[in-house]
Amino acid sequence: MSSKVAIVTGGTRGIGFGISEQLAADGYDLILGFNSNETAAANSKKTLESDYGVKVYTVKGDVAQPETVDNFFECLENNFGGKLTALIHNAGLYVGMTTSPASEQAELAANSQRLLLGDGNLSSLAAYEYYQNVYPKCFIRCVEKAVKYMEDGQGYIVATSSPGCNMNQTPKLSYIMPGTGKTVVEFLTRYYARLLASRQITVNVVIPGFTKTEAWNAVTANSGGVDSEMMQKRIKSTPMQRWCSPTEVGQVVAFLCSPKAAFITGVALPIDGGLHLQ
């Protein structure tokens, strides 16, 4: 069994699996969170264990719920002696678009989100509250627990954000709910980076651009899919004129979770082929 252990929220599909795979390639044992797709979680576990010889546990649950976070660390204590090397908060969703509601709270958020997008204002706060639970509140819960299991000089924390959530890019109006949550996460990474620097624990955030995952199938369903002419034009208009792959995101996260990146902290790093330059 490896001496390195990582918790990856949303670690069984898409960008999350790309991250998990690269961490496994670097010898990390893994605790992977997933929301509802048990088949994908089982397949990811099987693939990672078979291909990389690491130990993988999966934890099902909505990260908006505090008990889901508790379950991550219960798994850590039961199976890895309570020793944690890396925490990656990657779990993300756009309720009703990239995923179906998996809880009563998420269903309420989806309904209020539809109203909000129709109104174009912040008249309803149910969706806002849900995304705050998925992103910054979950991040705080995870970090506050994780640092108790990390040794000084041997801890790495990475969050995942999206374009348009800071001053580098124009905000996307249709992304207001997830975006407001990720904006706070980006600030929190800098806060925790300063707080944990004396312990030599690094805290960073990555910002993937157009990354070709199954989530885009739902986003582009009404416009012809990810390979439609409309999407091809959109990708060609970006500086590097191509999609990013989950593996490319995973390679950067794995680097940030290694001694090679021990002196990098408090950074919001775009992995977007120059998209942030537009």
Side-chain angles (χ1 to χ4, degrees):
M1 184 176 293
S2 170
S3 60
K4 299 188 296 185
V5 180
I7 293 174
V8 186
T9 68
T12 62
R13 294 192 296 162
I15 289 175
F17 182 75
I19 293 170
S20 299
E21 187 171 37
Q22 294 306 306
L23 289 173
D26 281 359
Y28 270 92
D29 288 325
L30 299 166
I31 298 173
L32 307 181
F34 71 99
N35 192 4
S36 59
N37 193 327
E38 295 185 0
T39 300
N43 289 339
S44 296
K45 171 182 168 67
K46 181 179 179 181
T47 297
L48 294 169
E49 290 186 332
S50 172
D51 290 355
Y52 300 100
V54 298
K55 192 63 180 176
V56 180
Y57 292 88
T58 58
V59 174
K60 180 181 179 180
D62 185 347
V63 294
Q65 306 297 326
E67 54 266 30
T68 300
V69 175
D70 293 339
N71 291 339
F72 292 141
F73 292 93
E74 181 179 350
C75 180
L76 181 72
E77 291 182 353
N78 291 341
N79 299 289
F80 297 109
K83 293 183 178 181
L84 182 67
T85 314
L87 166 70
I88 295 86
H89 183 32
N90 171 74
L93 74 169
Y94 204 161
V95 177
M97 186 172 292
T98 63
T99 185
S100 299
S103 68
E104 183 177 346
Q105 185 182 16
E107 181 64 49
L108 177 62
N111 291 335
S112 63
Q113 178 175 276
R114 283 190 284 271
L115 292 173
L116 181 143
L117 292 175
D119 295 343
N121 59 52
L122 284 168
S123 59
S124 172
L125 293 178
Y128 174 85
E129 182 65 21
Y130 180 69
Y131 284 108
Q132 292 294 308
N133 276 313
V134 168
Y135 294 114
K137 290 184 181 180
C138 178
F139 186 61
I140 291 170
R141 291 176 184 129
C142 285
V143 172
E144 294 291 335
K145 286 182 176 290
V147 295
K148 298 176 182 178
Y149 298 97
M150 290 179 171
E151 296 181 9
D152 292 0
Q154 298 184 48
Y156 311 98
I157 298 170
V158 180
T160 302
S161 186
S162 294
C165 297
N166 59 33
M167 293 295 290
N168 289 340
Q169 283 184 289
T170 302
K172 308 298 187 289
L173 296 182
S174 62
Y175 200 65
I176 184 170
M177 284 299 142
T180 51
K182 291 183 178 182
T183 296
V184 181
V185 169
E186 290 196 29
F187 173 81
L188 286 170
T189 59
R190 292 190 293 156
Y191 166 81
Y192 279 119
R194 292 201 61 178
L195 190 66
L196 295 170
S198 62
R199 289 188 56 190
Q200 309 297 309
I201 294 173
T202 64
V203 189
N204 296 290
V205 59
V206 295
I207 310 171
F210 290 109
T211 308
K212 201 166 189 179
T213 68
E214 63 185 61
W216 275 99
N217 293 331
V219 174
T220 61
N222 295 327
S223 58
V226 293
D227 295 320
S228 66
E229 182 178 352
M230 184 274 292
M231 281 305 301
Q232 289 180 23
K233 288 182 178 179
R234 191 172 184 182
I235 297 302
K236 286 294 183 182
S237 70
T238 65
M240 283 197 169
Q241 301 181 6
R242 68 171 178 84
W243 290 90
C244 177
S245 74
T247 296
E248 289 176 300
V249 179
Q251 288 170 337
V252 175
V253 173
F255 166 71
L256 292 173
C257 294
S258 74
K260 294 178 181 179
F263 211 55
I264 300 173
T265 195
V267 168
L269 179 60
I271 311 172
D272 63 6
L275 183 64
H276 66 284
L277 300 174
Q278 291 184 310

